[in-house]
Structures are given as structure tokens and as C-alpha cells.
Amino acid sequence: MTYQPKKILLTGCAGFIGSNFLRWLLQKDANVQITHLDALTYAGNLESIKDVLDNPRHRFVKGDIRDAALVKQLASDADTVINFAAESHVDRSIDGPRAFVETNVIGTFNLLEAARAKGGVRFVQISTDEVYGSLGDEGKFTEETPLAPNSPYSSSKASSDLLVRAYHHTYGLDTVTTRCSNNYGPYQFPEKLIPLMIQNALSDKPLPVYGDGLNVRDWIHVSDHSAGVWAAAPRGRPGEVYNLGSDNEWPNIDIVKRLLAILKKPESLIKYVKDRPGHDRRYAIDASKAHRELGWRPQTDFATGLEATVEWYLSNRSWVSSVTSGDYKTFYERWYRERA
Ligand code: NAD
Ligand code: TYD
């Protein structure tokens, strides 16, 4: 089935990936009308979307996907739901898993129910490669890899993916799920590896590397993820899952050293700290199904994308100060004190 999404209910687009997607989509497609629901948690900030808030094709609603009645009302005139909203940070899920179950599982359930009640809606679920668990030295995740999530975050995402699957099989809801690898780029909250290391290096603070620093992640620029979602939304086959990734695996320590080199800061800032409990060793995505069926391919060269990302953080230091609230600072101090 190919159709063109027009009236879209988007969720969670005051966060990192969603804000990039929202900006990208408004530029890309002049015909979309977007209703955008975000609860503005610590990770969601209007500062990240202030340039599109007045766009007549974008209506922002502050509200929660856990609010079933609100979600149902907003979905009632949508032809497409794209669900980015989630609690997304693994460390916080270890520290306090409840919000992850409530938002990622119950919130997605509410959206699915709203789409089912409306009828004729395409439902796009933004998921993650972390639902597949951890790889050894060989192989990559395909869409056939069994789900084996290891953290409260990834298990809550896997749970929502299973609900999406069930709504397709049981109720015939027209669903598509994308599972992307680790994203980097502008507007990423400075709790995640790349922006955290940039911020600490800029303040000459220690760069906390978990364990031996040899855990491997597969990095993709957020603009390539946006293009992948927008390829899957009209072209994905109903009920299918599409992995999105850039064939770009790096051990964490190499990323940290590259960032220090770009910033011209010394490697003596690196501090190996106590590992994250249950830390997945390696992620790697086989995205050949998305290449084949969606005609999508990532475009961003990693060296260029990483330098541009550092440049963005250097030029947007006021954004960082405005989004790092007292709540985040309290979490940061406690979490890293416990790992010292
Ligand atoms: P983020 O934490 O930066 O943003 C999440 C957004 O969701 C915020 O705007 C927040 O306010 C909003 N939100 C949270 N709870 C909500 C609720 N109950 N109701 C309404 N809004 C709520 O996350 P991100 O990194 O941009 O990730 C976006 C999506 O992409 C998530 O579903 C995540 O699982 C998935 N994903 C992320 C990555 C990655 O590398 N960051 C990779 C693959 C998939
Ligand atoms: P993160 O950005 O939290 O993404 P995810 O856990 O979802 O992959 O972490 C990326 C990698 O960086 C992961 O292997 C954990 C590691 N990491 C550190 O070594 N130190 C840190 O302070 C953080 C936040 C992450």
C-alpha cells in the first residue's frame, strides 16, 4: 500500500529525534497538517522547536500520551499517527523504571486504542534496535532476530512493539514499526553519550566511560533517521518492521577520543567508571530490508556529521543551559557519584 500521510498526529517531538523530524518534515512536505502532542518532560523542550511553533501547519498540544481521553480526541481526525514519545534513557530506566512502563507501554496502548477507535489510520511506531538485546562479536540484528531486551527501557519498548504487532494481527490496524540504531545530531539531551561527553569536555570535567569502554554502538545521523521514518510511513507494508541503521559501528572509547580530538582537549579527561548494570555489549543493524523495500539509504558521512554536531553544540550553549533543569542536575550528580 502506498498512500500519502496528510493529517498526522505526532507525539514526542519536543525531544531529540522528534524535534529534528518535525522540522525536517515541515520543510519536506508542504501538504502535511500536524497535531503534535508532547508532555514536555525533562527531555522535551519548546526551545528545541521554537522555530516551528508558529508554523500554520503545526499545532502544538501540551499533554500526555497516558491520558487516554485526550489521545482519543486528538486522533479523531488523523489519518496517520507517528509515535516518537517515550522515556528514552537507559540509565534513568535503571534508576526508576515505573515511568518507562507507564509512558512506553500504557501510552502506546492508548494511542493504539485511539487509532482503532478512529479506524482507517496508519500507525507508525518509532522503536529501537535495543529490543533485540545484545550481540557478540559477530552478526547483525535483522527484523527476524528474536526480541531479547535487557534493560527496563528496552523491555518497555519491546512491550509496546508487541502491542503494535497484536493490534495489526487482531484488529487489522495498519501498523509499521521502525527500529533504529543510536542517533546523534543537534538537540540531543546532554544525558546521552555524545552530547554528555561534549559538555564535559567543554567544561574540562571528567568524561565518564562505563566499564572497559569497548561496548559497541552503531551510529546514525538523526536526519537519516527522519528520512527513514518518512520513507516507512507511506511505503512500509502493513504489519511490517523495518530496521534503520548506517553500518557505522564504533566502540564507545573511540567515539570519546574522536570528540576530544575535535575539541582539542586532552585524553587525560577520560575517566573509566563503574559499568552500567546489564550493559549491552554490542548493537549492529542490518538495514537491507529498508534499502530494498523503502528505497531508503542514509546519506550522512560519520566524520562530517560528528564534526557538525560538535559545531552545533559549540554554537548553542544557551540551548544546553536552558534544557538542563535542576531535576536533571540532581540525577546526574547522584548517578555519577555512585559510579565513581
Ligand atoms: P527524548 O527523550 O529526547 O524525547 C522524548 C520526547 O517524548 C520528549 O519530548 C518528551 O517530553 C516526550 N514524552 C515523554 N513522555 C511523554 C508522555 N507520557 N506523553 C507525551 N510526551 C512524552 O527521546 P529521543 O531520543 O528523541 O527518542 C525518540 C523516540 O525514538 C523514542 O521512542 C526512542 O525509543 C526512539 N529511539 C531513540 C534512539 C536514540 O538514539 N535516541 C534510537 C532509536 C529509537
Ligand atoms: P547512551 O547514549 O545512553 O545510549 P544507549 O545506552 O541507548 O545505547 O549510551 C551509549 C553508549 O555509551 C552505551 O554503551 C553506554 C555508554 N555511556 C558511557 O560509557 N558513559 C556515559 O556516561 C553514558 C551516558 C553512556
Side-chain angles (χ1 to χ4, degrees), residues 12-18 37-41 43-44 63-66 84-88 103 126-128 153 157 180-183 188 192 225:
C13 290
F16 164 46
I17 301 173
L37 176 65
D38 195 299
L40 301 181
T41 68
D64 204 304
I65 60 169
R66 291 172 296 181
F84 287 91
E87 289 289 344
S88 70
T103 283
I126 308 303
S127 188
T128 163
Y153 163 65
K157 291 294 292 186
C180 193
S181 61
N182 284 65
N183 283 221
Q188 186 165 30
K192 306 279 168 58
H225 188 184

PDB file of all heavy atoms in Angstrom, residues 12-18 37-41 43-44 63-66 84-88 103 126-128 153 157 180-183 188 192 225, ligand 1:
ATOM      1  N   GLY A  12       5.725  13.400  20.966  1.00  0.00           N
ATOM      2  CA  GLY A  12       7.098  13.421  21.472  1.00  0.00           C
ATOM      3  C   GLY A  12       8.087  14.200  20.623  1.00  0.00           C
ATOM      4  O   GLY A  12       9.280  13.898  20.630  1.00  0.00           O
ATOM      5  N   CYS A  13       7.622  15.234  19.938  1.00  0.00           N
ATOM      6  CA  CYS A  13       8.512  15.945  19.018  1.00  0.00           C
ATOM      7  C   CYS A  13       9.111  17.218  19.615  1.00  0.00           C
ATOM      8  O   CYS A  13       9.603  18.081  18.893  1.00  0.00           O
ATOM      9  CB  CYS A  13       7.797  16.224  17.701  1.00  0.00           C
ATOM     10  SG  CYS A  13       7.551  14.674  16.808  1.00  0.00           S
ATOM     11  N   ALA A  14       9.060  17.320  20.956  1.00  0.00           N
ATOM     12  CA  ALA A  14       9.869  18.356  21.620  1.00  0.00           C
ATOM     13  C   ALA A  14      11.153  17.747  22.152  1.00  0.00           C
ATOM     14  O   ALA A  14      11.939  18.411  22.812  1.00  0.00           O
ATOM     15  CB  ALA A  14       9.061  19.011  22.747  1.00  0.00           C
ATOM     16  N   GLY A  15      11.357  16.461  21.894  1.00  0.00           N
ATOM     17  CA  GLY A  15      12.594  15.776  22.285  1.00  0.00           C
ATOM     18  C   GLY A  15      13.589  15.770  21.134  1.00  0.00           C
ATOM     19  O   GLY A  15      13.432  16.494  20.131  1.00  0.00           O
ATOM     20  N   PHE A  16      14.598  14.950  21.257  1.00  0.00           N
ATOM     21  CA  PHE A  16      15.719  14.973  20.306  1.00  0.00           C
ATOM     22  C   PHE A  16      15.291  14.585  18.885  1.00  0.00           C
ATOM     23  O   PHE A  16      15.296  15.400  17.955  1.00  0.00           O
ATOM     24  CB  PHE A  16      16.821  14.041  20.842  1.00  0.00           C
ATOM     25  CG  PHE A  16      17.868  13.642  19.858  1.00  0.00           C
ATOM     26  CD1 PHE A  16      18.473  14.589  19.018  1.00  0.00           C
ATOM     27  CD2 PHE A  16      18.287  12.317  19.771  1.00  0.00           C
ATOM     28  CE1 PHE A  16      19.462  14.212  18.116  1.00  0.00           C
ATOM     29  CE2 PHE A  16      19.271  11.937  18.876  1.00  0.00           C
ATOM     30  CZ  PHE A  16      19.858  12.885  18.039  1.00  0.00           C
ATOM     31  N   ILE A  17      14.905  13.331  18.697  1.00  0.00           N
ATOM     32  CA  ILE A  17      14.666  12.851  17.333  1.00  0.00           C
ATOM     33  C   ILE A  17      13.405  13.491  16.763  1.00  0.00           C
ATOM     34  O   ILE A  17      13.367  13.935  15.614  1.00  0.00           O
ATOM     35  CB  ILE A  17      14.571  11.311  17.301  1.00  0.00           C
ATOM     36  CG1 ILE A  17      15.878  10.707  17.830  1.00  0.00           C
ATOM     37  CG2 ILE A  17      14.287  10.816  15.894  1.00  0.00           C
ATOM     38  CD1 ILE A  17      15.854   9.198  18.013  1.00  0.00           C
ATOM     39  N   GLY A  18      12.364  13.575  17.615  1.00  0.00           N
ATOM     40  CA  GLY A  18      11.101  14.149  17.153  1.00  0.00           C
ATOM     41  C   GLY A  18      11.260  15.587  16.685  1.00  0.00           C
ATOM     42  O   GLY A  18      10.683  15.973  15.660  1.00  0.00           O
ATOM     43  N   LEU A  37       1.533  16.288  20.016  1.00  0.00           N
ATOM     44  CA  LEU A  37       1.288  16.113  21.454  1.00  0.00           C
ATOM     45  C   LEU A  37       2.592  15.789  22.162  1.00  0.00           C
ATOM     46  O   LEU A  37       3.277  14.813  21.811  1.00  0.00           O
ATOM     47  CB  LEU A  37       0.288  14.953  21.646  1.00  0.00           C
ATOM     48  CG  LEU A  37      -0.029  14.543  23.082  1.00  0.00           C
ATOM     49  CD1 LEU A  37      -0.752  15.662  23.828  1.00  0.00           C
ATOM     50  CD2 LEU A  37      -0.883  13.266  23.089  1.00  0.00           C
ATOM     51  N   ASP A  38       2.924  16.583  23.174  1.00  0.00           N
ATOM     52  CA  ASP A  38       4.136  16.300  23.960  1.00  0.00           C
ATOM     53  C   ASP A  38       3.876  16.767  25.388  1.00  0.00           C
ATOM     54  O   ASP A  38       3.318  17.834  25.615  1.00  0.00           O
ATOM     55  CB  ASP A  38       5.348  17.026  23.365  1.00  0.00           C
ATOM     56  CG  ASP A  38       6.665  16.485  23.907  1.00  0.00           C
ATOM     57  OD1 ASP A  38       6.882  16.555  25.144  1.00  0.00           O
ATOM     58  OD2 ASP A  38       7.481  15.995  23.118  1.00  0.00           O
ATOM     59  N   ALA A  39       4.324  15.946  26.348  1.00  0.00           N
ATOM     60  CA  ALA A  39       4.097  16.271  27.764  1.00  0.00           C
ATOM     61  C   ALA A  39       5.143  17.237  28.297  1.00  0.00           C
ATOM     62  O   ALA A  39       5.032  17.696  29.434  1.00  0.00           O
ATOM     63  CB  ALA A  39       4.111  14.985  28.588  1.00  0.00           C
ATOM     64  N   LEU A  40       6.162  17.543  27.496  1.00  0.00           N
ATOM     65  CA  LEU A  40       7.264  18.408  27.946  1.00  0.00           C
ATOM     66  C   LEU A  40       7.834  17.903  29.272  1.00  0.00           C
ATOM     67  O   LEU A  40       7.823  18.604  30.287  1.00  0.00           O
ATOM     68  CB  LEU A  40       6.817  19.876  28.041  1.00  0.00           C
ATOM     69  CG  LEU A  40       6.300  20.493  26.740  1.00  0.00           C
ATOM     70  CD1 LEU A  40       5.897  21.950  26.941  1.00  0.00           C
ATOM     71  CD2 LEU A  40       7.326  20.398  25.610  1.00  0.00           C
ATOM     72  N   THR A  41       8.286  16.672  29.262  1.00  0.00           N
ATOM     73  CA  THR A  41       9.029  16.135  30.405  1.00  0.00           C
ATOM     74  C   THR A  41      10.387  16.836  30.441  1.00  0.00           C
ATOM     75  O   THR A  41      10.666  17.711  29.617  1.00  0.00           O
ATOM     76  CB  THR A  41       9.272  14.620  30.247  1.00  0.00           C
ATOM     77  OG1 THR A  41      10.195  14.417  29.158  1.00  0.00           O
ATOM     78  CG2 THR A  41       7.978  13.868  29.977  1.00  0.00           C
ATOM     79  N   ALA A  43      12.918  15.907  29.209  1.00  0.00           N
ATOM     80  CA  ALA A  43      13.595  15.677  27.924  1.00  0.00           C
ATOM     81  C   ALA A  43      12.931  16.433  26.769  1.00  0.00           C
ATOM     82  O   ALA A  43      13.458  16.444  25.658  1.00  0.00           O
ATOM     83  CB  ALA A  43      13.622  14.185  27.601  1.00  0.00           C
ATOM     84  N   GLY A  44      11.797  17.039  27.021  1.00  0.00           N
ATOM     85  CA  GLY A  44      11.066  17.740  25.960  1.00  0.00           C
ATOM     86  C   GLY A  44      11.077  19.235  26.242  1.00  0.00           C
ATOM     87  O   GLY A  44      10.743  19.664  27.350  1.00  0.00           O
ATOM     88  N   GLY A  63       0.393  17.836  26.451  1.00  0.00           N
ATOM     89  CA  GLY A  63      -0.421  16.790  27.065  1.00  0.00           C
ATOM     90  C   GLY A  63       0.303  15.466  27.019  1.00  0.00           C
ATOM     91  O   GLY A  63       1.367  15.333  26.414  1.00  0.00           O
ATOM     92  N   ASP A  64      -0.331  14.481  27.639  1.00  0.00           N
ATOM     93  CA  ASP A  64       0.362  13.239  27.964  1.00  0.00           C
ATOM     94  C   ASP A  64      -0.253  12.059  27.201  1.00  0.00           C
ATOM     95  O   ASP A  64      -1.484  11.928  27.151  1.00  0.00           O
ATOM     96  CB  ASP A  64       0.193  13.016  29.477  1.00  0.00           C
ATOM     97  CG  ASP A  64       1.279  12.141  30.038  1.00  0.00           C
ATOM     98  OD1 ASP A  64       1.451  11.015  29.526  1.00  0.00           O
ATOM     99  OD2 ASP A  64       1.946  12.582  30.982  1.00  0.00           O
ATOM    100  N   ILE A  65       0.581  11.201  26.637  1.00  0.00           N
ATOM    101  CA  ILE A  65       0.020  10.026  25.952  1.00  0.00           C
ATOM    102  C   ILE A  65      -0.576   9.031  26.956  1.00  0.00           C
ATOM    103  O   ILE A  65      -1.269   8.102  26.564  1.00  0.00           O
ATOM    104  CB  ILE A  65       1.033   9.321  25.008  1.00  0.00           C
ATOM    105  CG1 ILE A  65       2.270   8.808  25.741  1.00  0.00           C
ATOM    106  CG2 ILE A  65       1.437  10.241  23.866  1.00  0.00           C
ATOM    107  CD1 ILE A  65       3.153   7.878  24.891  1.00  0.00           C
ATOM    108  N   ARG A  66      -0.339   9.250  28.240  1.00  0.00           N
ATOM    109  CA  ARG A  66      -1.010   8.397  29.239  1.00  0.00           C
ATOM    110  C   ARG A  66      -2.458   8.823  29.447  1.00  0.00           C
ATOM    111  O   ARG A  66      -3.222   8.138  30.120  1.00  0.00           O
ATOM    112  CB  ARG A  66      -0.234   8.455  30.563  1.00  0.00           C
ATOM    113  CG  ARG A  66       1.123   7.779  30.469  1.00  0.00           C
ATOM    114  CD  ARG A  66       1.961   8.014  31.701  1.00  0.00           C
ATOM    115  NE  ARG A  66       2.282   9.415  31.859  1.00  0.00           N
ATOM    116  CZ  ARG A  66       3.027   9.913  32.844  1.00  0.00           C
ATOM    117  NH1 ARG A  66       3.516   9.107  33.767  1.00  0.00           N
ATOM    118  NH2 ARG A  66       3.269  11.208  32.911  1.00  0.00           N
ATOM    119  N   PHE A  84       6.673   9.055  18.518  1.00  0.00           N
ATOM    120  CA  PHE A  84       8.050   9.199  18.998  1.00  0.00           C
ATOM    121  C   PHE A  84       8.099   9.265  20.531  1.00  0.00           C
ATOM    122  O   PHE A  84       9.162   9.085  21.109  1.00  0.00           O
ATOM    123  CB  PHE A  84       8.671  10.506  18.484  1.00  0.00           C
ATOM    124  CG  PHE A  84       9.039  10.526  17.030  1.00  0.00           C
ATOM    125  CD1 PHE A  84       8.137  10.964  16.071  1.00  0.00           C
ATOM    126  CD2 PHE A  84      10.303  10.133  16.622  1.00  0.00           C
ATOM    127  CE1 PHE A  84       8.486  11.016  14.726  1.00  0.00           C
ATOM    128  CE2 PHE A  84      10.658  10.171  15.283  1.00  0.00           C
ATOM    129  CZ  PHE A  84       9.759  10.610  14.335  1.00  0.00           C
ATOM    130  N   ALA A  85       6.974   9.612  21.174  1.00  0.00           N
ATOM    131  CA  ALA A  85       7.013   9.905  22.622  1.00  0.00           C
ATOM    132  C   ALA A  85       7.455   8.678  23.394  1.00  0.00           C
ATOM    133  O   ALA A  85       6.946   7.575  23.196  1.00  0.00           O
ATOM    134  CB  ALA A  85       5.635  10.350  23.096  1.00  0.00           C
ATOM    135  N   ALA A  86       8.414   8.890  24.286  1.00  0.00           N
ATOM    136  CA  ALA A  86       8.882   7.784  25.127  1.00  0.00           C
ATOM    137  C   ALA A  86       9.787   8.335  26.211  1.00  0.00           C
ATOM    138  O   ALA A  86      10.338   9.430  26.076  1.00  0.00           O
ATOM    139  CB  ALA A  86       9.671   6.771  24.295  1.00  0.00           C
ATOM    140  N   GLU A  87       9.906   7.584  27.264  1.00  0.00           N
ATOM    141  CA  GLU A  87      11.050   7.744  28.156  1.00  0.00           C
ATOM    142  C   GLU A  87      12.170   6.976  27.468  1.00  0.00           C
ATOM    143  O   GLU A  87      11.991   5.807  27.099  1.00  0.00           O
ATOM    144  CB  GLU A  87      10.748   7.149  29.530  1.00  0.00           C
ATOM    145  CG  GLU A  87       9.736   7.944  30.343  1.00  0.00           C
ATOM    146  CD  GLU A  87      10.295   9.276  30.850  1.00  0.00           C
ATOM    147  OE1 GLU A  87      11.527   9.460  30.845  1.00  0.00           O
ATOM    148  OE2 GLU A  87       9.477  10.132  31.244  1.00  0.00           O
ATOM    149  N   SER A  88      13.348   7.618  27.300  1.00  0.00           N
ATOM    150  CA  SER A  88      14.321   7.058  26.358  1.00  0.00           C
ATOM    151  C   SER A  88      15.707   6.772  26.926  1.00  0.00           C
ATOM    152  O   SER A  88      16.558   6.272  26.197  1.00  0.00           O
ATOM    153  CB  SER A  88      14.466   8.017  25.159  1.00  0.00           C
ATOM    154  OG  SER A  88      15.137   9.194  25.574  1.00  0.00           O
ATOM    155  N   THR A 103       4.699   5.302  30.383  1.00  0.00           N
ATOM    156  CA  THR A 103       4.682   6.049  29.113  1.00  0.00           C
ATOM    157  C   THR A 103       4.843   5.118  27.921  1.00  0.00           C
ATOM    158  O   THR A 103       4.057   5.163  26.966  1.00  0.00           O
ATOM    159  CB  THR A 103       5.795   7.125  29.106  1.00  0.00           C
ATOM    160  OG1 THR A 103       5.353   8.211  29.917  1.00  0.00           O
ATOM    161  CG2 THR A 103       6.088   7.630  27.702  1.00  0.00           C
ATOM    162  N   ILE A 126       7.786   4.285  16.508  1.00  0.00           N
ATOM    163  CA  ILE A 126       9.235   4.526  16.452  1.00  0.00           C
ATOM    164  C   ILE A 126       9.886   3.699  17.554  1.00  0.00           C
ATOM    165  O   ILE A 126       9.770   4.006  18.736  1.00  0.00           O
ATOM    166  CB  ILE A 126       9.556   6.024  16.643  1.00  0.00           C
ATOM    167  CG1 ILE A 126       8.746   6.886  15.673  1.00  0.00           C
ATOM    168  CG2 ILE A 126      11.059   6.264  16.485  1.00  0.00           C
ATOM    169  CD1 ILE A 126       8.926   6.555  14.203  1.00  0.00           C
ATOM    170  N   SER A 127      10.559   2.646  17.133  1.00  0.00           N
ATOM    171  CA  SER A 127      11.183   1.769  18.115  1.00  0.00           C
ATOM    172  C   SER A 127      12.707   1.801  17.972  1.00  0.00           C
ATOM    173  O   SER A 127      13.262   2.687  17.326  1.00  0.00           O
ATOM    174  CB  SER A 127      10.612   0.360  17.989  1.00  0.00           C
ATOM    175  OG  SER A 127      11.087  -0.442  19.054  1.00  0.00           O
ATOM    176  N   THR A 128      13.351   0.843  18.589  1.00  0.00           N
ATOM    177  CA  THR A 128      14.805   0.894  18.726  1.00  0.00           C
ATOM    178  C   THR A 128      15.425  -0.486  18.519  1.00  0.00           C
ATOM    179  O   THR A 128      14.783  -1.510  18.808  1.00  0.00           O
ATOM    180  CB  THR A 128      15.166   1.421  20.137  1.00  0.00           C
ATOM    181  OG1 THR A 128      16.529   1.113  20.424  1.00  0.00           O
ATOM    182  CG2 THR A 128      14.321   0.758  21.224  1.00  0.00           C
ATOM    183  N   TYR A 153      14.257   0.071  30.004  1.00  0.00           N
ATOM    184  CA  TYR A 153      13.925   0.860  28.811  1.00  0.00           C
ATOM    185  C   TYR A 153      13.607  -0.048  27.628  1.00  0.00           C
ATOM    186  O   TYR A 153      12.528   0.032  27.029  1.00  0.00           O
ATOM    187  CB  TYR A 153      15.083   1.806  28.454  1.00  0.00           C
ATOM    188  CG  TYR A 153      15.004   2.344  27.037  1.00  0.00           C
ATOM    189  CD1 TYR A 153      13.957   3.176  26.639  1.00  0.00           C
ATOM    190  CD2 TYR A 153      15.969   2.013  26.078  1.00  0.00           C
ATOM    191  CE1 TYR A 153      13.872   3.664  25.331  1.00  0.00           C
ATOM    192  CE2 TYR A 153      15.895   2.488  24.776  1.00  0.00           C
ATOM    193  CZ  TYR A 153      14.838   3.312  24.408  1.00  0.00           C
ATOM    194  OH  TYR A 153      14.752   3.781  23.114  1.00  0.00           O
ATOM    195  N   LYS A 157      10.071  -0.804  25.529  1.00  0.00           N
ATOM    196  CA  LYS A 157       9.909  -0.579  24.089  1.00  0.00           C
ATOM    197  C   LYS A 157       9.492  -1.883  23.384  1.00  0.00           C
ATOM    198  O   LYS A 157       8.638  -1.869  22.496  1.00  0.00           O
ATOM    199  CB  LYS A 157      11.210  -0.049  23.476  1.00  0.00           C
ATOM    200  CG  LYS A 157      11.598   1.354  23.899  1.00  0.00           C
ATOM    201  CD  LYS A 157      10.659   2.446  23.433  1.00  0.00           C
ATOM    202  CE  LYS A 157      10.669   2.675  21.944  1.00  0.00           C
ATOM    203  NZ  LYS A 157       9.846   3.856  21.555  1.00  0.00           N
ATOM    204  N   CYS A 180      15.486   1.723  14.928  1.00  0.00           N
ATOM    205  CA  CYS A 180      16.697   2.424  14.513  1.00  0.00           C
ATOM    206  C   CYS A 180      17.811   2.219  15.536  1.00  0.00           C
ATOM    207  O   CYS A 180      17.562   1.946  16.709  1.00  0.00           O
ATOM    208  CB  CYS A 180      16.381   3.912  14.355  1.00  0.00           C
ATOM    209  SG  CYS A 180      17.672   4.830  13.512  1.00  0.00           S
ATOM    210  N   SER A 181      19.036   2.390  15.071  1.00  0.00           N
ATOM    211  CA  SER A 181      20.209   2.305  15.952  1.00  0.00           C
ATOM    212  C   SER A 181      20.442   3.657  16.642  1.00  0.00           C
ATOM    213  O   SER A 181      19.641   4.582  16.492  1.00  0.00           O
ATOM    214  CB  SER A 181      21.420   1.887  15.127  1.00  0.00           C
ATOM    215  OG  SER A 181      21.651   2.854  14.129  1.00  0.00           O
ATOM    216  N   ASN A 182      21.552   3.783  17.364  1.00  0.00           N
ATOM    217  CA  ASN A 182      21.839   5.007  18.135  1.00  0.00           C
ATOM    218  C   ASN A 182      21.938   6.236  17.231  1.00  0.00           C
ATOM    219  O   ASN A 182      22.722   6.248  16.287  1.00  0.00           O
ATOM    220  CB  ASN A 182      23.171   4.874  18.887  1.00  0.00           C
ATOM    221  CG  ASN A 182      23.049   3.985  20.101  1.00  0.00           C
ATOM    222  OD1 ASN A 182      22.788   2.798  19.979  1.00  0.00           O
ATOM    223  ND2 ASN A 182      23.244   4.546  21.273  1.00  0.00           N
ATOM    224  N   ASN A 183      21.177   7.272  17.568  1.00  0.00           N
ATOM    225  CA  ASN A 183      21.171   8.516  16.805  1.00  0.00           C
ATOM    226  C   ASN A 183      22.137   9.532  17.414  1.00  0.00           C
ATOM    227  O   ASN A 183      22.345   9.548  18.625  1.00  0.00           O
ATOM    228  CB  ASN A 183      19.780   9.165  16.857  1.00  0.00           C
ATOM    229  CG  ASN A 183      18.760   8.510  15.955  1.00  0.00           C
ATOM    230  OD1 ASN A 183      17.978   9.189  15.316  1.00  0.00           O
ATOM    231  ND2 ASN A 183      18.734   7.192  15.890  1.00  0.00           N
ATOM    232  N   GLN A 188      20.184  16.809  20.949  1.00  0.00           N
ATOM    233  CA  GLN A 188      20.123  15.607  21.796  1.00  0.00           C
ATOM    234  C   GLN A 188      20.383  16.014  23.240  1.00  0.00           C
ATOM    235  O   GLN A 188      21.338  16.736  23.545  1.00  0.00           O
ATOM    236  CB  GLN A 188      21.145  14.557  21.348  1.00  0.00           C
ATOM    237  CG  GLN A 188      20.988  13.247  22.128  1.00  0.00           C
ATOM    238  CD  GLN A 188      21.719  12.068  21.504  1.00  0.00           C
ATOM    239  OE1 GLN A 188      22.751  12.261  20.861  1.00  0.00           O
ATOM    240  NE2 GLN A 188      21.201  10.871  21.688  1.00  0.00           N
ATOM    241  N   LYS A 192      22.902  11.738  27.060  1.00  0.00           N
ATOM    242  CA  LYS A 192      23.320  10.640  26.185  1.00  0.00           C
ATOM    243  C   LYS A 192      24.798  10.795  25.841  1.00  0.00           C
ATOM    244  O   LYS A 192      25.357  11.884  25.940  1.00  0.00           O
ATOM    245  CB  LYS A 192      22.463  10.614  24.911  1.00  0.00           C
ATOM    246  CG  LYS A 192      20.956  10.561  25.173  1.00  0.00           C
ATOM    247  CD  LYS A 192      20.474   9.170  25.488  1.00  0.00           C
ATOM    248  CE  LYS A 192      19.045   9.111  26.032  1.00  0.00           C
ATOM    249  NZ  LYS A 192      18.006   9.671  25.213  1.00  0.00           N
ATOM    250  N   HIS A 225      17.671   9.200  10.096  1.00  0.00           N
ATOM    251  CA  HIS A 225      16.542   8.527  10.758  1.00  0.00           C
ATOM    252  C   HIS A 225      15.225   9.182  10.320  1.00  0.00           C
ATOM    253  O   HIS A 225      14.254   8.482   9.986  1.00  0.00           O
ATOM    254  CB  HIS A 225      16.721   8.608  12.285  1.00  0.00           C
ATOM    255  CG  HIS A 225      15.732   7.804  13.061  1.00  0.00           C
ATOM    256  ND1 HIS A 225      15.681   7.805  14.434  1.00  0.00           N
ATOM    257  CD2 HIS A 225      14.723   6.981  12.678  1.00  0.00           C
ATOM    258  CE1 HIS A 225      14.697   7.009  14.850  1.00  0.00           C
ATOM    259  NE2 HIS A 225      14.103   6.506  13.798  1.00  0.00           N
TER     260      HIS A 225
HETATM  261  P1  NAD B   1      13.841  12.056  24.006  1.00  0.00           P
HETATM  262  O1  NAD B   1      13.911  11.530  25.406  1.00  0.00           O
HETATM  263  O2  NAD B   1      14.862  13.054  23.575  1.00  0.00           O
HETATM  264  O3  NAD B   1      12.405  12.705  23.745  1.00  0.00           O
HETATM  265  C1  NAD B   1      11.227  12.084  24.178  1.00  0.00           C
HETATM  266  C2  NAD B   1      10.067  13.071  23.991  1.00  0.00           C
HETATM  267  O4  NAD B   1       8.864  12.409  24.418  1.00  0.00           O
HETATM  268  C3  NAD B   1      10.195  14.345  24.828  1.00  0.00           C
HETATM  269  O5  NAD B   1       9.792  15.456  24.065  1.00  0.00           O
HETATM  270  C4  NAD B   1       9.218  14.107  25.988  1.00  0.00           C
HETATM  271  O6  NAD B   1       8.684  15.311  26.531  1.00  0.00           O
HETATM  272  C5  NAD B   1       8.153  13.274  25.294  1.00  0.00           C
HETATM  273  N1  NAD B   1       7.398  12.441  26.261  1.00  0.00           N
HETATM  274  C6  NAD B   1       7.910  11.608  27.212  1.00  0.00           C
HETATM  275  N2  NAD B   1       6.898  11.052  27.914  1.00  0.00           N
HETATM  276  C7  NAD B   1       5.738  11.515  27.371  1.00  0.00           C
HETATM  277  C8  NAD B   1       4.381  11.291  27.654  1.00  0.00           C
HETATM  278  N3  NAD B   1       3.983  10.468  28.636  1.00  0.00           N
HETATM  279  N4  NAD B   1       3.441  11.919  26.902  1.00  0.00           N
HETATM  280  C9  NAD B   1       3.817  12.757  25.880  1.00  0.00           C
HETATM  281  N5  NAD B   1       5.105  13.026  25.594  1.00  0.00           N
HETATM  282  C10 NAD B   1       6.057  12.404  26.326  1.00  0.00           C
HETATM  283  O7  NAD B   1      13.875  10.763  23.085  1.00  0.00           O
HETATM  284  P2  NAD B   1      14.546  10.560  21.651  1.00  0.00           P
HETATM  285  O8  NAD B   1      15.961  10.155  21.821  1.00  0.00           O
HETATM  286  O9  NAD B   1      14.201  11.701  20.783  1.00  0.00           O
HETATM  287  O10 NAD B   1      13.753   9.258  21.158  1.00  0.00           O
HETATM  288  C11 NAD B   1      12.516   9.386  20.453  1.00  0.00           C
HETATM  289  C12 NAD B   1      11.998   8.012  20.101  1.00  0.00           C
HETATM  290  O11 NAD B   1      12.960   7.329  19.299  1.00  0.00           O
HETATM  291  C13 NAD B   1      11.764   7.109  21.322  1.00  0.00           C
HETATM  292  O12 NAD B   1      10.610   6.365  21.100  1.00  0.00           O
HETATM  293  C14 NAD B   1      13.000   6.234  21.367  1.00  0.00           C
HETATM  294  O13 NAD B   1      12.708   4.986  21.956  1.00  0.00           O
HETATM  295  C15 NAD B   1      13.301   6.081  19.874  1.00  0.00           C
HETATM  296  N6  NAD B   1      14.716   5.832  19.531  1.00  0.00           N
HETATM  297  C16 NAD B   1      15.708   6.603  20.040  1.00  0.00           C
HETATM  298  C17 NAD B   1      17.033   6.378  19.641  1.00  0.00           C
HETATM  299  C18 NAD B   1      18.162   7.253  20.128  1.00  0.00           C
HETATM  300  O14 NAD B   1      19.327   7.008  19.775  1.00  0.00           O
HETATM  301  N7  NAD B   1      17.910   8.310  20.878  1.00  0.00           N
HETATM  302  C19 NAD B   1      17.320   5.347  18.741  1.00  0.00           C
HETATM  303  C20 NAD B   1      16.261   4.570  18.236  1.00  0.00           C
HETATM  304  C21 NAD B   1      14.963   4.833  18.641  1.00  0.00           C
END
